Amino acid sequence: MSNTESHAEFTDGEMRGEQEFIDGLYARVDALRGDTEASVTDALAQGDKPMQARLERDILVAERSGLLAALNAVDGSLCFGRIDLSSGTSHHIGRIGLRLDDAERTPVLVDWRADVARPFYLATGHTPMGLRRRRHISTEGRRVTALHDEFLDLGDATRTGHEDPAGDDVLLAALNSARTGRMSDIVQTIQAEQDEIIRAPHRGVLVVEGGPGTGKTAVALHRAAYLLYEHRELLAKRAVLIVGPNPAFLGYIGQVLPSLGETGVLLATVGELYPGVRATATDTPEAAAVKGRADMADVLAAVVRDRQALPDPVIAIAHDREVLMLDDGLVGVARERTRAAKLPHNTAREHFEGHILNTLTELYAERVGTDPYDGSNLLDPSDITQIRDELAENPDVWSAIDQLWPVLTPQRVVADFLADPEGYVSDADAAAIRRPVTRAWTVADVPLLDEAAELLGEDDRLARERAERERERQVAYAQGVLDVSYASRTYEFEDKEDDDPDASEVLSAHHIIDAERFAERHEEDDHRSAAERAAADRTWAFGHIIVDEAQELSPMAWRLLMRRSPTRSMTLVGDPAQTAEAAGVGSWSKILQPYVEDRWEHTRLGVNYRTPAEIMEVAAAVVRAEHPGFVPPSSVRSTGVRPWARATDDLPGAVAKAVEELTPAEGRLAVIAPRELHRALAARLDGVTAGAEPDLTRTVVLLDPRQSKGLEFDSVLVVEPARYGTSDLYVALTRATQRLGVVHTKELPKPLAEALA
């Protein structure tokens, strides 16, 4: 069916007018997509025009190319609203901005992040902000399906037949819609308290606290999009980092920013923030807690210092018929002088090498250069220099230096420490973290690797030497090309000079460029985005960092993140009541005091948009039993469907039956169960697998409580809640947007049983 045919049913003037606007909008987009290649071709064809004209055309092409990238990334309707000002002006609001190609660059669609769009989110009847009417436009693809109007000028008698007096219809429709396994943007339904956070100043640390369903994650993602819009030049260079709790969560939120036209963001877990290392193993809670403690920084520093060894008792070095003895006294002086420079271990090695060579030179010079009769020194400075140079060529010298001050890698330091932690931590801690050197890395290991990298530094002398040799090779090659070109041109001109006296004045490449510049022009450019370059560079400093479930990160993980944010420009999102990781800090002041003291802002989201009141009442009772003063976020809606519990002697069978009952006609169901039950449960559930990262787009998924953090589903089945801690149970109970069931063999925790009774 064509667009014209599909819109024939619209007889209402308001609906028809908005449909015509949407059709025109997409017509412009389609034309823009089709004309871009032709525009580039035209730009290249105008090489004979003045420089200004060429620059203007190049700028236009660049703008179109960037716009197309955004258009191709946007998912869903481009336009979702309109504001009519009391002055008579109207603006359509969309996920990205579009302008005409006229001289004034007239706006056609206003980006939701622009200041002029802000009244769409903040205006009220009490404070209309210059608005007469706010319109929400609902679409399916390119087809307008509904209009929702709010008249903010209470004296305006105009009516359209699409009034939404409370202004809640669009929000409630979004909250009640079936889930897809991927988070959607909330740009059409941003609430006033969320808008304030999204547009908060860029600098400093902002903490956004909120209970389940308050939209913390969505707000953080839209804040990233807003900051990229508002500070494009800075953040495009430095990139924005978004840190999530697990890969499933990152997959869940992965389409939000592209749907808003933003793709230059790095999404990662802590376990993915050390280039070249992939965390595939899992720690016990006890091991993760030990590795995450702040004092592990001192432990690793001690491990590195212990690799700066002393001879036991001496090291003998044969040199030119002499044997030179390095004892602990001589090496100890060299070590202390090197440490005094306060450089990282590998970087400091060059200083240690110098001290050892000087010490050996003095020993050797004293042996061979002392007059046996009067004890005077027979060697002049050139002799001393020669001796030092000869010692620097002695393999035994370098073998001794390698033994005393070895070049270390972070992987080697951390692996050796974990294989033999005795003497650095208590016996109980050593038992918790000890493991074979060959074992795969865990998420808790990554901050240790990062700390070790800071302690070690990098001795880049070999890399610099290789780079210099490669540059010399390229320059030599370039010189050869120029020489051949010059010889060829000279031969050609000698043949033509008799016929054309001016031929010898023609310049060749040899006359206007030297070999070094010629080589530079042919060096390979780095075409990676800032986010791609940041992912490969451990020392990258991000323009802004957003951390979701921030309360779960360990002190060592915070050390890693703070290194990547030297300006301390961060947005931290979380809920201390949901802290479940043994290494999690939980307290905002404890997280931030070591880095910014009290120079941070705190805000709280208090409205629960996800969890119905019936489910929230049950979840809050569980937490309140342990923390009597606990105040949950207020749910904005009620479904009238009470959560239920079912005892059974056949857990897999009861779960399979409950899944049949709870699986929605549209949407998603999560079975949340302890990890040790997954294999048995998966065997009874069609299409469900255990042990792999869950595919959240499937109708039924099997998760443990930690995997479910930050996610939401239409229905949730919680299995064997007696095996959960309070935080894990609170998380599991608050994932559902519609229905919640509980299946168990063990007796329910008392507060949960009472709340479900």
Side-chain angles (χ1 to χ4, degrees):
M1 181 183 294
S2 69
N3 281 340
T4 302
E5 292 171 336
S6 66
H7 304 154
E9 64 189 79
F10 292 122
T11 57
D12 176 83
E14 295 282 346
M15 290 282 283
R16 186 167 56 252
E18 294 297 356
Q19 185 62 62
E20 289 173 353
F21 174 81
I22 296 293
D23 288 343
L25 192 66
Y26 277 101
R28 294 180 186 278
V29 170
D30 292 341
L32 184 61
R33 286 173 171 147
D35 289 348
T36 298
E37 185 175 348
S39 297
V40 174
T41 303
D42 291 344
L44 296 175
Q46 302 303 319
D48 58 337
K49 286 191 173 183
M51 178 64 75
Q52 183 62 39
R54 294 206 305 273
L55 286 174
E56 289 176 355
R57 186 172 292 278
D58 289 343
I59 291 171
L60 177 59
V61 172
E63 287 177 347
R64 286 187 168 185
S65 298
L67 179 57
L68 283 180
L71 289 172
N72 291 332
V74 169
D75 180 25
S77 173
L78 285 171
C79 177
F80 56 80
R82 179 175 128 184
I83 51 177
D84 297 340
L85 281 65
S86 300
S87 63
T89 305
S90 295
H91 299 292
H92 280 87
I93 313 298
R95 286 172 169 79
I96 61 174
L98 291 173
R99 293 177 178 269
L100 294 177
D101 288 338
D102 56 16
E104 292 77 21
R105 301 285 291 152
T106 305
V108 177
L109 186 65
V110 175
D111 193 299
W112 67 276
R113 296 165 287 190
D115 285 342
V116 71
R118 200 169 191 196
F120 183 80
Y121 302 107
L122 299 183
T124 65
H126 183 267
T127 309
M129 299 179 70
L131 296 194
R132 180 178 67 84
R133 176 176 63 177
R134 171 171 47 213
R135 165 167 288 176
H136 292 269
I137 304 172
S138 300
T139 60
E140 291 181 2
R142 302 186 179 192
R143 182 174 181 273
V144 175
T145 57
L147 303 179
H148 300 270
D149 287 342
E150 298 171 70
F151 282 88
L152 303 172
D153 181 353
L154 302 182
D156 189 341
T158 303
R159 290 296 177 264
T160 64
H162 302 286
E163 284 74 31
D164 174 13
D168 292 335
D169 285 358
V170 175
L171 174 62
L172 292 175
L175 298 179
N176 286 314
S177 63
R179 269 43 190 173
T180 65
R182 293 288 182 262
M183 178 181 278
S184 301
D185 67 66
I186 61 167
V187 67
Q188 189 171 357
T189 58
I190 292 172
Q191 302 300 293
E193 66 169 356
Q194 297 172 332
D195 185 81
E196 291 290 339
I197 296 170
I198 289 169
R199 298 174 191 263
H202 166 230
R203 298 295 183 182
V205 177
L206 174 66
V207 172
V208 182
E209 182 179 330
T214 54
K216 303 183 299 296
T217 298
V219 166
L221 294 172
H222 287 68
R223 175 162 169 75
Y226 172 76
L227 292 177
L228 285 164
Y229 173 85
E230 191 72 8
H231 306 280
R232 178 75 62 190
E233 184 175 352
L234 170 64
L235 296 183
K237 293 178 181 177
R238 302 310 312 165
V240 173
L241 170 65
I242 297 179
V243 180
N246 54 60
F249 175 84
L250 295 182
Y252 175 65
I253 69 172
Q255 293 304 310
V256 174
L257 286 168
S259 76
L260 300 174
E262 299 295 347
T263 56
V265 176
L266 176 62
L267 277 68
T269 65
V270 169
E272 297 168 328
L273 288 177
Y274 193 93
V277 167
R278 184 176 177 83
T280 57
T282 303
D283 274 316
T284 64
E286 295 77 15
V290 173
K291 293 177 182 180
R293 291 198 311 241
D295 62 7
M296 288 303 297
D298 295 329
V299 169
L300 289 175
V303 171
V304 172
R305 286 175 66 87
D306 285 350
R307 300 299 293 271
Q308 299 162 2
L310 296 175
D312 184 21
V314 296
I315 295 177
I317 297 175
H319 185 71
D320 194 19
R321 299 187 299 277
E322 297 289 338
V323 177
L324 307 176
M325 297 294 187
L326 282 175
D327 60 25
D328 59 355
L330 293 172
V331 174
V333 171
R335 183 174 72 171
E336 292 311 309
R337 288 177 177 173
T338 302
R339 287 176 174 176
K342 299 187 181 302
L343 294 172
H345 173 88
N346 289 337
T347 308
R349 175 179 156 118
E350 185 175 3
H351 293 259
F352 184 75
E353 294 169 2
H355 290 309
I356 293 298
L357 284 171
N358 290 341
T359 298
L360 292 172
T361 299
E362 291 173 6
L363 290 175
Y364 187 81
E366 186 177 349
R367 294 269 188 92
V368 303
T370 303
D371 190 309
Y373 299 104
D374 60 13
S376 62
N377 193 329
L378 302 176
L379 303 176
D380 59 28
S382 64
D383 295 326
I384 299 298
T385 300
Q386 183 177 350
I387 292 171
R388 194 181 191 281
D389 291 343
E390 291 173 351
L391 282 166
E393 298 294 328
N394 187 332
D396 290 345
V397 173
W398 293 105
S399 176
I401 291 173
D402 287 340
Q403 178 182 338
L404 299 170
W405 199 287
V407 175
L408 301 173
T409 66
Q411 290 89 335
R412 178 67 182 274
V413 167
V414 175
D416 287 351
F417 161 66
L418 293 176
D420 187 17
E422 284 78 5
Y424 296 104
V425 296
S426 69
D427 291 345
D429 289 346
I433 65 176
R434 186 187 299 109
R435 72 173 194 210
V437 173
T438 56
R439 188 177 171 188
W441 299 110
T442 69
V443 171
D445 292 334
V446 169
L448 302 186
L449 291 168
D450 197 71
E451 188 72 31
E454 287 292 306
L455 292 167
L456 296 177
E458 183 178 356
D459 184 353
D460 63 349
R461 284 176 293 170
L462 290 177
R464 283 189 276 116
E465 290 173 4
R466 285 195 298 268
E468 183 59 30
R469 287 196 298 270
E470 175 61 19
R471 176 169 176 75
E472 290 173 355
R473 186 192 67 79
Q474 291 178 350
V475 170
Y477 175 79
Q479 185 64 58
V481 172
L482 291 174
D483 289 345
V484 170
S485 172
Y486 177 69
S488 175
R489 295 287 287 173
T490 300
Y491 179 78
E492 179 183 350
F493 292 148
E494 286 175 351
D495 283 349
K496 294 182 177 180
E497 197 167 5
D498 291 338
D499 298 329
D500 183 1
D502 295 327
S504 60
E505 300 299 324
V506 177
L507 294 177
S508 68
H510 190 279
H511 293 96
I512 61 177
I513 190 169
D514 60 23
E516 289 196 7
R517 291 185 181 179
F518 189 61
E520 288 174 359
R521 293 183 64 176
H522 288 78
E523 289 179 355
E524 184 176 355
D525 293 330
D526 189 346
H527 296 293
R528 294 176 299 171
S529 68
E532 290 169 333
R533 285 182 282 121
D537 184 353
R538 190 194 69 82
T539 63
W540 189 272
F542 288 91
H544 193 79
I545 295 180
I546 293 174
V547 186
D548 206 321
E549 302 293 349
Q551 76 281 349
E552 301 288 10
L553 269 60
S554 71
M556 288 300 293
W558 282 112
R559 287 177 66 88
L560 177 154
L561 287 178
M562 290 297 175
R563 291 188 192 104
R564 286 152 176 77
S565 181
T567 61
R568 303 295 188 257
S569 179
M570 309 178 83
T571 302
L572 312 183
V573 180
D575 179 14
Q578 297 185 60
T579 305
E581 296 292 341
V585 177
S587 164
W588 302 123
S589 59
K590 288 182 180 179
I591 290 171
L592 295 171
Q593 199 280 333
Y595 305 102
V596 296
E597 297 180 344
D598 60 351
R599 299 186 303 276
W600 51 281
E601 295 186 29
H602 178 274
T603 186
R604 181 173 179 83
L605 294 168
V607 178
N608 188 331
Y609 299 99
R610 175 206 303 147
T611 316
E614 294 85 356
I615 296 177
M616 199 64 218
E617 180 183 342
V618 172
V622 171
V623 180
R624 199 175 287 119
E626 191 170 304
H627 304 284
F630 173 70
V631 178
S634 302
S635 297
V636 299
R637 64 196 176 96
S638 173
T639 60
V641 180
R642 289 280 301 168
W644 52 261
R646 185 177 299 161
T648 181
D649 293 329
D650 175 17
L651 191 65
V655 168
K657 181 178 179 181
V659 166
E660 290 182 7
E661 297 173 8
L662 286 173
T663 300
E666 295 182 359
R668 301 293 181 270
L669 163 69
V671 178
I672 303 178
R675 180 63 65 93
E676 59 269 22
L677 299 179
H678 281 199
R679 190 174 299 277
L681 296 179
R684 297 291 297 271
L685 300 174
D686 292 339
V688 175
T689 58
E693 283 296 333
D695 179 359
L696 299 178
T697 64
R698 299 185 69 88
T699 302
V700 180
V701 294
L702 180 61
L703 308 168
D704 64 38
R706 307 289 171 89
Q707 288 177 310
S708 72
K709 291 182 76 68
L711 308 181
E712 60 181 37
F713 305 88
D714 300 88
S715 301
V716 169
L717 181 66
V718 177
V719 179
E720 213 67 289
R723 299 194 185 190
Y724 301 178
T726 300
S727 294
D728 282 342
L729 182 54
Y730 181 55
V731 169
L733 293 172
T734 54
R735 300 304 97 192
T737 65
Q738 302 294 335
R739 297 188 294 171
L740 171 68
V742 177
V743 174
H744 60 103
T745 60
K746 299 180 180 296
E747 185 177 354
L748 291 176
K750 184 177 179 181
L752 178 60
E754 291 176 350
L756 290 172

